[in-house]
Amino acid sequence: MKKILILHTGGTIAMSENQETGAIAPGAENPLNQAVNPFGDRFDLITENVFNLPSPHIGPKEMLIIQKRIMLAFNENIDGVVITHGTDTLEETAYFLDLTLPNHLPVVLTGAMRSANEIGSDGLHNFQTAILTAASDDAVDKGVLVVMNDEIHTARYVTKTHTTNVATFRTPTFGPIGSIAKDSVNFFAELLSQTCLAIDEVVDHVYLVKAYAGMDAELLGFLDNDQTNGVVIEALGAGNLPPQVLENLQKLIDRDIPVVIVSRCFNGVAQDVYDYEGGGVQLKKMGGIFCRGLNGQKARIKLLVGLSTGLQKDELAIYVADALS
């Protein structure tokens, strides 16, 4: 019998709808704690309530608490881990864990788009399929996974794409790496590579900025201070910025503040291909770090992890730029 550790952290999957107002909020008790075990004696389920927080309340410090709890599981004969989590920041927690956990132990995150008492609630089904995935022998060495709506995605590339649809979690460009049909867990892709960094604490003041037409230089100017540890910029197109921000961007780089460039586009990768003022070629010459294949929030998590583990300038740039590690 496989032993699966269940870590509840809150989110819509742990909430209920007020039948009079329609508002959704956490209750005193997680509804999943009261759900009937659909697997009988097939699995030994060990349940712990780590938090009961909406996912906008979860940040790197809470992610580190989850990571440290899972690290303990390596010495507890645990065969797999399932984490229930709010969907708003689920992809960031998943990627943080993917970067900081050895990938041999299956770790699966899941959540819900509809609360426990709404018509068509998806929470219990997602919970069940996440358990099946974590218990699958084929989930070993796949990295941290996200299971929602009968699809299996890698933490590295999955993102939330819709505010309310149950099919919100998608992997742009590449698609899911597996699916669940009834009790059958099927993988059809492999994790290419993974670098795991040991982490004991997390740094703060790592910022994410989104570029836009006519972007003001002052926004980057506000970050030019001794507290700023890193900046990720969701640049335009393939990785370009309005020319008026370049002076303040250079000031950040001259301060040895790592500046990471990604694209604000939903698909594709950031590349230094345009050679004009503010184009990617100039940004790279200035010292910008191009991160290929990650969205802004994932790139910020990767930069934060690299900084938290003490990577220095050159090795930090190599680590952040390689989205495949």
Side-chain angles (χ1 to χ4, degrees):
M1 183 187 301
K2 287 203 170 184
K3 185 184 294 186
I4 307 298
L5 175 64
I6 311 294
L7 301 178
H8 292 313
T9 69
T12 299
I13 196 170
M15 297 183 189
S16 299
E17 181 184 59
N18 185 302
Q19 298 301 301
E20 293 183 1
T21 66
I24 298 171
E29 179 67 24
N30 188 330
L32 291 177
N33 289 334
Q34 301 169 345
V36 176
N37 180 0
F39 301 110
D41 59 359
R42 284 178 59 189
F43 306 124
D44 181 11
L45 303 181
I46 303 166
T47 301
E48 296 180 13
N49 295 295
V50 184
F51 314 117
N52 188 17
L53 296 174
S55 63
H57 296 192
I58 291 180
K61 292 181 180 179
E62 287 74 24
M63 296 174 193
L64 184 58
I65 291 172
I66 299 170
Q67 189 266 357
K68 288 184 175 181
R69 175 61 190 94
I70 296 172
M71 289 298 294
L72 295 176
F74 283 87
N75 299 316
E76 298 174 350
N77 296 317
I78 297 295
D79 297 297
V81 179
V82 170
I83 303 165
T84 64
H85 196 289
T87 59
D88 286 352
T89 61
L90 184 149
E91 66 189 87
E92 289 160 271
T93 296
Y95 191 47
F96 179 93
L97 297 175
D98 192 55
L99 293 171
T100 59
L101 289 172
N103 66 358
H104 184 73
L105 181 69
V107 176
V108 180
L109 281 83
T110 194
M113 296 303 294
R114 297 172 183 160
S115 60
N117 61 340
E118 288 185 73
I119 295 174
S121 175
D122 56 329
L124 186 56
H125 180 78
N126 288 338
F127 184 47
Q128 292 175 10
T129 53
I131 292 172
L132 285 171
T133 303
S136 170
D137 292 337
D138 292 334
V140 174
D141 293 328
K142 291 291 195 300
V144 174
L145 302 171
V146 173
V147 171
M148 295 278 291
N149 202 40
D150 289 330
E151 292 184 341
I152 306 170
H153 297 263
T154 65
R156 187 174 301 168
Y157 297 120
V158 71
T159 190
K160 185 175 181 177
T161 65
H162 196 284
T163 55
T164 57
N165 197 304
V166 295
T168 181
F169 279 92
R170 302 288 190 186
T171 297
T173 305
F174 307 115
I177 65 165
S179 63
I180 302 102
K182 294 294 185 181
D183 282 359
S184 178
V185 177
N186 306 292
F187 287 92
F188 41 80
E190 296 290 335
L191 182 69
L192 294 177
S193 63
Q194 183 197 41
T195 300
C196 173
L197 294 183
I199 187 167
D200 294 316
E201 59 182 6
V202 288
V203 302
D204 52 13
H205 300 103
V206 179
Y207 300 103
L208 174 60
V209 178
K210 192 182 189 80
Y212 53 88
M215 182 179 181
D216 296 319
E218 288 82 1
L219 193 57
L220 295 183
F222 295 144
L223 302 180
D224 183 12
N225 60 69
D226 292 336
Q227 287 189 312
T228 299
N229 288 313
V231 178
V232 175
I233 302 177
E234 285 190 1
L236 307 172
N240 313 299
L241 290 173
Q244 61 267 24
V245 308
L246 296 180
E247 182 179 351
N248 281 347
L249 179 66
Q250 188 65 64
K251 289 179 180 179
L252 295 177
I253 294 171
D254 289 344
R255 236 187 218 274
D256 283 333
I257 295 172
V259 175
V260 178
I261 307 296
V262 298
S263 174
R264 71 176 193 175
C265 295
F266 182 74
N267 274 304
V269 299
Q271 303 177 76
D272 53 322
V273 295
Y274 284 98
D275 193 5
Y276 52 72
E277 189 179 12
V281 172
Q282 182 180 11
L283 299 183
K284 189 165 186 179
K285 287 180 180 178
M286 291 171 62
I289 303 167
F290 275 74
C291 178
R292 301 170 180 87
L294 296 181
N295 59 25
Q297 56 267 36
K298 296 276 185 67
R300 177 184 172 272
I301 290 294
K302 191 163 194 183
L303 176 59
L304 184 147
V305 168
L307 289 167
S308 297
T309 53
L311 294 183
Q312 298 304 305
K313 186 175 181 179
D314 291 341
E315 57 186 352
L316 179 68
I318 294 171
Y319 172 71
V320 174
D322 185 6
L324 295 180
S325 66

